[in-house]
Amino acid sequence: MEQQQALEIGRDVIYREADLLDRWEWQAWSELYTVECEFWCPAWISEIKIGDDPAKTLSHFYMTTRVALQDRTWRIESGVAPFAVPVPRTCHVISNVYVESNDDTSMVLRSHWHCMTYARQATSSVYGFYDHHLIKEGDRWMIKKKQITLLNDHLEMPIDVNTV
Amino acid sequence: MSGNSATTAAPIDFGRYIRDDQEQGVFSVNREIYNTPELYDLEMEYIFEANWVFLCHESQVPEPNDFYTTFMGRQPVVVTRDNDGELNAFINACSHKGSKICLTRQGNTKFHTCTYHGWVFDNQGNCVSVKDREDAGYSEAFAAQDFGLKKVPKLAEYRGWIFGSLEADVVPLEEHLGDTRVFIDLLVDQAEDGMELIPGMSSYTFNGNWKFQIENCLDGYHLNVAHKGFLEITNQRIKRLGDKYTGPDIEAMFASHLKTGSFGWKQGHAMFFSENPAPEFRPLWPEREKLTERFGAAKTDWMIRYGRNLTVFPNLQCTDNAVIGQFRVLRPLAHNKTEMQIYCWVPRGESAAARQQRLRTYEDFFDIAGTGTPDDVAAYMNCQEGAEGRLAQWQLGYGRGQTAMVQGANDLAKELDLNPATSTMGPLTMSDETLFHGSYKAWVEQMQAGHDRALAKSKQAGS
């Protein structure tokens, strides 16, 4: 597959992911992920060094199944979690997307993201990079791995799977 | 410690912020303790900058020439380990113009060079070079001054936990920690090489008073309400796994026959413990025989069988419950804003499997991106906003456990050779709230003592 074609396909998946999160279409969002998947946001271990091994250093998120992601979105809309009452509104903006590598059934995409979260009549803002690993399952391109680099990790508000 | 303008005002009676009538069995806290902006500077001056505060753990400055930056109250501080392996601490500000000297959170260097005008200090804080000193034209009197970094007057370590005080006239650290040392020992002794903090942390602020955090760490009452989301998720996981589930029975965690209780100390420290009905799922379980050999059955039982949450007043909290341990360091930024740094602590040298189990469980609940801490943070913010409801002055959150609480040591405390101000035992559903009393009483005592000192000082200066 040409890189340009891969870019169009991949961009569509990650734009859709952001859109589904922001519109609270949780089920459809989770189904972008393969059943076994990796959702990883390592913690920084110094100002200039970020964790590179989830077995040894802390992560903000390290989940390895779609169902674990669904647990998280269940909590967000459950109405029993004080942090998500009312559910925060989010707006993800993704840019600088390019294909790092690809073949006919897999690709790695790099992008930059910014998520604004509106809760308690105030906006908080986090941003960073994404590394998406996509694979083709049947006709569908799915997310096999999402690695989130959170740049402003001194946080004014807690974060969740929908706000990064 | 510099005087604050507030100290020149009329004397304040800090006792007005709490109501403590043990004869009638009524303890309460006035909401003004949370919503009065002026109290912040006084708390900094009389508590955080006038007594022992936690600085860092030795694993954050393990090697010679390591440094770690933090705060004592409002004041930036750097802790160093010098060439000889000794600890030092000084104000992290150049003696020349006050520019911060150490610009990273931690690092390793023999000499600290100010990035503004190039003065150089060794890792004991001595000034070893002033750029172009010979041409400076300093007066003799000026040159005779100490150019070194301002030392933190008191610095001490207990089993790798490093504390400092900006006031020199304080009791020795051992006396300040008192009985909490027994519980610190229970953490440190879990591995032959002690404990360490896993690299990485959550660093965040919340719009709420620091005392909400102090309380929440020891609050068993909120667990199945504020954290209902977490508990429901856990139940769903168990259901999904069906026969394949091999973890603890979550419902059993809340059984009424379990032994729970608390201790409060006059220094403001407090501890909550609860029996874990399924200690065999804790990562320390495989070590129990080795531990029993070293420490005896009773102490090992306390390490493994009881979940323990400890507050070392005013800025450190340490938990060792369920699967994981957590280290929380708090720093008030305003009456309605607090900064937190939270870590996952582990016994050094534990197996890779135990480490993974701790990491994943910690992230699942405690991390600022987890399913527990965000709900606590939301509760603090809700309390801060609610505290503006000044029409209702007195909080009703300190009465549970009142009739079970005894002044001084109960039998269990005596068994452990402890000397707390209050002891309480009762079922988990009692959810003791008397363990908060000690922190508030210490708050009043330290605030009053600091205030009286400051007033005496300003009177002296004025006369």
Side-chain angles (χ1 to χ4, degrees), chain B residues 402-426:
Chain B
Q402 184 74 38
T403 55
M405 181 256 278
V406 298
Q407 300 287 340
N410 62 6
D411 290 344
L412 187 66
K414 284 175 195 154
E415 213 177 283
L416 291 165
D417 209 15
L418 303 177
N419 186 27
T422 63
S423 318
T424 309
M425 285 286 283

Short mmCIF file of all heavy atoms in Angstrom, two decimals, chain B residues 402-426:
data_model
loop_
_atom_site.label_atom_id
_atom_site.label_comp_id
_atom_site.label_asym_id
_atom_site.label_seq_id
_atom_site.Cartn_x
_atom_site.Cartn_y
_atom_site.Cartn_z
N GLN B 402 -17.45 7.92 68.35
CA GLN B 402 -17.26 8.65 69.61
C GLN B 402 -17.43 7.75 70.84
O GLN B 402 -16.64 7.82 71.77
CB GLN B 402 -18.25 9.82 69.68
CG GLN B 402 -18.09 10.72 70.90
CD GLN B 402 -16.86 11.64 70.81
OE1 GLN B 402 -16.54 12.15 69.75
NE2 GLN B 402 -16.17 11.81 71.94
N THR B 403 -18.47 6.90 70.83
CA THR B 403 -18.72 6.08 72.02
C THR B 403 -17.77 4.88 72.10
O THR B 403 -17.67 4.24 73.14
CB THR B 403 -20.17 5.58 72.06
OG1 THR B 403 -20.44 4.88 70.84
CG2 THR B 403 -21.15 6.73 72.22
N ALA B 404 -17.08 4.57 71.00
CA ALA B 404 -16.13 3.46 71.02
C ALA B 404 -14.71 3.93 71.34
O ALA B 404 -13.83 3.14 71.65
CB ALA B 404 -16.14 2.75 69.67
N MET B 405 -14.52 5.23 71.21
CA MET B 405 -13.17 5.80 71.36
C MET B 405 -12.78 5.88 72.83
O MET B 405 -13.61 6.19 73.68
CB MET B 405 -13.15 7.19 70.74
CG MET B 405 -11.82 7.89 70.78
SD MET B 405 -11.77 9.16 72.03
CE MET B 405 -12.56 10.51 71.17
N VAL B 406 -11.52 5.55 73.12
CA VAL B 406 -11.04 5.76 74.48
C VAL B 406 -9.88 6.76 74.44
O VAL B 406 -9.13 6.80 73.48
CB VAL B 406 -10.56 4.45 75.16
CG1 VAL B 406 -11.70 3.46 75.28
CG2 VAL B 406 -9.39 3.82 74.42
N GLN B 407 -9.81 7.57 75.48
CA GLN B 407 -8.67 8.48 75.60
C GLN B 407 -7.46 7.63 75.97
O GLN B 407 -7.56 6.74 76.81
CB GLN B 407 -8.94 9.53 76.68
CG GLN B 407 -10.17 10.40 76.42
CD GLN B 407 -9.94 11.41 75.29
OE1 GLN B 407 -8.80 11.73 74.94
NE2 GLN B 407 -11.03 11.91 74.71
N GLY B 408 -6.35 7.90 75.31
CA GLY B 408 -5.13 7.13 75.60
C GLY B 408 -5.13 5.81 74.87
O GLY B 408 -5.76 5.65 73.83
N ALA B 409 -4.42 4.83 75.44
CA ALA B 409 -4.20 3.56 74.75
C ALA B 409 -5.28 2.55 75.10
O ALA B 409 -5.62 2.38 76.27
CB ALA B 409 -2.84 3.00 75.13
N ASN B 410 -5.84 1.88 74.11
CA ASN B 410 -6.72 0.73 74.39
C ASN B 410 -5.84 -0.54 74.47
O ASN B 410 -4.61 -0.46 74.38
CB ASN B 410 -7.83 0.61 73.33
CG ASN B 410 -7.29 0.36 71.93
OD1 ASN B 410 -6.09 0.18 71.73
ND2 ASN B 410 -8.18 0.36 70.95
N ASP B 411 -6.48 -1.69 74.61
CA ASP B 411 -5.71 -2.92 74.82
C ASP B 411 -4.77 -3.20 73.65
O ASP B 411 -3.62 -3.62 73.83
CB ASP B 411 -6.65 -4.11 75.01
CG ASP B 411 -7.37 -4.03 76.36
OD1 ASP B 411 -6.90 -3.24 77.22
OD2 ASP B 411 -8.39 -4.72 76.54
N LEU B 412 -5.29 -2.96 72.46
CA LEU B 412 -4.47 -3.24 71.28
C LEU B 412 -3.24 -2.32 71.25
O LEU B 412 -2.13 -2.75 70.93
CB LEU B 412 -5.31 -3.04 70.01
CG LEU B 412 -4.62 -3.45 68.72
CD1 LEU B 412 -4.37 -4.95 68.68
CD2 LEU B 412 -5.46 -3.04 67.51
N ALA B 413 -3.46 -1.07 71.59
CA ALA B 413 -2.35 -0.11 71.62
C ALA B 413 -1.31 -0.56 72.65
O ALA B 413 -0.10 -0.48 72.40
CB ALA B 413 -2.86 1.28 71.94
N LYS B 414 -1.80 -1.05 73.79
CA LYS B 414 -0.87 -1.51 74.84
C LYS B 414 -0.07 -2.71 74.34
O LYS B 414 1.13 -2.82 74.58
CB LYS B 414 -1.65 -1.87 76.11
CG LYS B 414 -2.09 -0.62 76.87
CD LYS B 414 -2.95 -0.99 78.08
CE LYS B 414 -3.69 0.24 78.60
NZ LYS B 414 -4.94 -0.13 79.30
N GLU B 415 -0.79 -3.59 73.62
CA GLU B 415 -0.13 -4.76 73.05
C GLU B 415 1.03 -4.35 72.14
O GLU B 415 2.05 -5.02 72.07
CB GLU B 415 -1.19 -5.49 72.23
CG GLU B 415 -1.12 -7.00 72.16
CD GLU B 415 -2.31 -7.49 71.35
OE1 GLU B 415 -3.43 -7.51 71.92
OE2 GLU B 415 -2.13 -7.83 70.16
N LEU B 416 0.81 -3.25 71.41
CA LEU B 416 1.83 -2.78 70.47
C LEU B 416 2.78 -1.78 71.13
O LEU B 416 3.64 -1.21 70.47
CB LEU B 416 1.15 -2.10 69.26
CG LEU B 416 0.38 -3.02 68.32
CD1 LEU B 416 -0.53 -2.21 67.40
CD2 LEU B 416 1.34 -3.86 67.48
N ASP B 417 2.57 -1.57 72.42
CA ASP B 417 3.42 -0.64 73.15
C ASP B 417 3.30 0.78 72.61
O ASP B 417 4.29 1.50 72.49
CB ASP B 417 4.87 -1.12 73.10
CG ASP B 417 5.64 -0.68 74.33
OD1 ASP B 417 4.98 -0.28 75.32
OD2 ASP B 417 6.89 -0.70 74.30
N LEU B 418 2.08 1.17 72.28
CA LEU B 418 1.84 2.51 71.74
C LEU B 418 1.25 3.41 72.80
O LEU B 418 0.63 2.94 73.75
CB LEU B 418 0.84 2.44 70.57
CG LEU B 418 1.18 1.55 69.39
CD1 LEU B 418 0.03 1.57 68.39
CD2 LEU B 418 2.47 2.00 68.72
N ASN B 419 1.42 4.70 72.58
CA ASN B 419 0.90 5.67 73.52
C ASN B 419 0.12 6.77 72.79
O ASN B 419 0.51 7.93 72.80
CB ASN B 419 2.08 6.26 74.31
CG ASN B 419 1.59 7.16 75.41
OD1 ASN B 419 0.48 7.00 75.92
ND2 ASN B 419 2.42 8.14 75.77
N PRO B 420 -0.99 6.39 72.14
CA PRO B 420 -1.74 7.39 71.37
C PRO B 420 -2.60 8.29 72.27
O PRO B 420 -2.81 7.96 73.45
CB PRO B 420 -2.65 6.52 70.48
CG PRO B 420 -2.83 5.25 71.25
CD PRO B 420 -1.58 5.05 72.06
N ALA B 421 -3.06 9.39 71.72
CA ALA B 421 -3.97 10.26 72.47
C ALA B 421 -5.36 9.64 72.52
O ALA B 421 -6.07 9.75 73.51
CB ALA B 421 -4.04 11.64 71.82
N THR B 422 -5.75 8.99 71.41
CA THR B 422 -7.04 8.29 71.37
C THR B 422 -6.88 6.97 70.63
O THR B 422 -6.04 6.83 69.74
CB THR B 422 -8.11 9.11 70.61
OG1 THR B 422 -7.70 9.27 69.25
CG2 THR B 422 -8.34 10.47 71.24
N SER B 423 -7.69 5.99 71.03
CA SER B 423 -7.72 4.69 70.35
C SER B 423 -9.17 4.31 70.13
O SER B 423 -10.02 4.58 70.99
CB SER B 423 -7.09 3.59 71.21
OG SER B 423 -5.92 4.02 71.86
N THR B 424 -9.43 3.69 69.00
CA THR B 424 -10.80 3.28 68.71
C THR B 424 -10.79 1.91 68.07
O THR B 424 -9.92 1.63 67.23
CB THR B 424 -11.48 4.28 67.75
OG1 THR B 424 -11.33 5.60 68.27
CG2 THR B 424 -12.96 3.98 67.61
N MET B 425 -11.74 1.08 68.47
CA MET B 425 -11.94 -0.20 67.80
C MET B 425 -13.42 -0.33 67.48
O MET B 425 -14.26 0.13 68.25
CB MET B 425 -11.56 -1.37 68.71
CG MET B 425 -10.07 -1.59 68.89
SD MET B 425 -9.28 -2.31 67.46
CE MET B 425 -9.81 -4.02 67.63
N GLY B 426 -13.72 -0.98 66.38
CA GLY B 426 -15.13 -1.16 66.06
C GLY B 426 -15.27 -1.83 64.71
O GLY B 426 -14.27 -2.04 64.02
#
